[in-house]
Amino acid sequence: DTTVKQNPRYKLARVGKPVNLICSQTMNHDTMYWYQKKPNQAPKLLLFYYDKILNREADTFEKFQSSRPNNSFCSLYIGSAGLEYSAMYLCASSRARGSQNTLYFGAGTRLSVL
Amino acid sequence: GDQVEQSPSALSLHEGTGSALRCNFTTTMRAVQWFQQNSRGSLINLFYLASGTKENGRLKSTFNSKESYSTLHIRDAQLEDSGTYFCAAAYNYAQGLTFGLGTRVSVFP
């Protein structure tokens, strides 16, 4: 099973309110990633967990937080949503060992901030 | 991103024909992955290559790390091949992938 599951599929949020997105995988992958995808733009890496170590990209460091309570689950947290956060959020996981590091993506959560 | 340059940005194909998509890298990459974005916006894994060539059905991909490019060939294009194709590359195995801007492929009857 190479499924990465994301909940919810669609999310509406108000400006200034928090948002929490959930991702899970049962492949026992070491690494879990969160990407942001906006129309006509490349998917942008926000952060990733390698085991229990969180790595956040420098330009999004203060905008997103994450937690990984166990190997299977990873969340993406926005403390105060702004209009610019409207996007598709894609979770991915990989084995991250050796030369085989295929990323498997979930179906995404489409966030609309109003 | 700047490190991954995809071309062309858009491609129109008649059913049954073929073409190639290309990614050029501005730095040495260790691996490349190709995805097709489906109508719902999620990314479907097509190939992962650390080197050489892989083939799956009507799709074939090559990664030349020394010359810093990768290609995705589509042959005998079908209507369901329409969509945006992304290449993404890793300069080390511990980091996430850096994506190109994608190639929008449209297949016409």
Side-chain angles (χ1 to χ4, degrees):
Chain A
D1 181 13
T2 56
T3 302
V4 176
K5 296 183 179 179
Q6 290 188 241
N7 287 298
R9 290 296 308 278
Y10 302 92
K11 176 76 175 177
L12 277 174
R14 294 291 182 185
V15 170
K17 297 297 184 183
V19 177
N20 197 46
L21 307 180
I22 301 296
C23 178
S24 66
Q25 51 86 18
T26 56
M27 296 174 278
N28 199 31
H29 280 173
D30 302 290
T31 308
M32 296 185 74
Y33 309 81
W34 281 100
Y35 282 82
Q36 181 190 63
K37 175 73 175 70
K38 293 185 176 182
N40 301 316
Q41 294 184 19
K44 175 180 171 54
L45 179 66
L46 300 176
L47 53 87
F48 66 94
Y49 263 100
Y50 174 64
D51 194 15
K52 297 179 181 179
I53 300 171
L54 175 61
N55 298 268
R56 286 189 283 181
E57 293 296 290
D59 58 344
T60 56
F61 189 85
E62 296 180 345
K63 294 184 176 182
F64 299 94
Q65 296 178 26
S66 183
S67 67
R68 191 177 187 188
N70 56 55
N71 176 269
S72 300
F73 288 88
C74 188
S75 66
L76 182 68
Y77 181 76
I78 300 167
S80 177
L83 296 176
E84 70 278 13
Y85 286 87
S86 292
M88 173 76 91
Y89 289 87
L90 296 165
C91 174
S93 70
S94 71
R95 199 164 60 96
R97 294 286 172 87
S99 62
Q100 280 300 315
N101 195 27
T102 304
L103 260 66
Y104 297 93
F105 279 85
T109 294
R110 190 173 296 279
L111 174 65
S112 298
V113 181
L114 306 174
Chain B
D2 293 340
Q3 295 175 317
V4 180
E5 300 167 350
Q6 272 192 258
S7 61
S9 58
L11 180 63
S12 294
L13 293 172
H14 284 290
E15 268 188 304
T17 64
S19 190
L21 287 60
R22 185 176 175 108
C23 271
N24 291 322
F25 311 117
T26 57
T27 187
T28 300
M29 298 295 187
R30 293 186 177 270
V32 65
Q33 196 165 350
W34 284 90
F35 300 89
Q36 181 186 18
Q37 184 178 31
N38 67 15
S39 57
R40 293 184 176 181
S42 55
L43 297 173
I44 309 302
N45 178 41
L46 298 176
F47 295 103
Y48 176 92
L49 299 102
S51 65
T53 299
K54 288 186 178 179
E55 193 165 355
N56 184 6
R58 296 177 291 98
L59 299 178
K60 182 173 73 173
S61 183
T62 297
F63 176 43
N64 188 322
S65 58
K66 288 184 179 179
E67 297 187 14
S68 297
Y69 76 89
S70 177
T71 57
L72 177 69
H73 292 261
I74 304 173
R75 66 173 176 84
D76 187 25
Q78 303 298 306
L79 297 177
E80 62 265 27
D81 295 333
S82 294
T84 301
Y85 290 77
F86 289 96
C87 72
Y91 51 85
N92 68 60
Y93 298 128
Q95 303 293 324
L97 297 176
T98 300
F99 279 77
L101 288 173
T103 295
R104 186 184 298 273
V105 174
S106 301
V107 181
F108 296 95

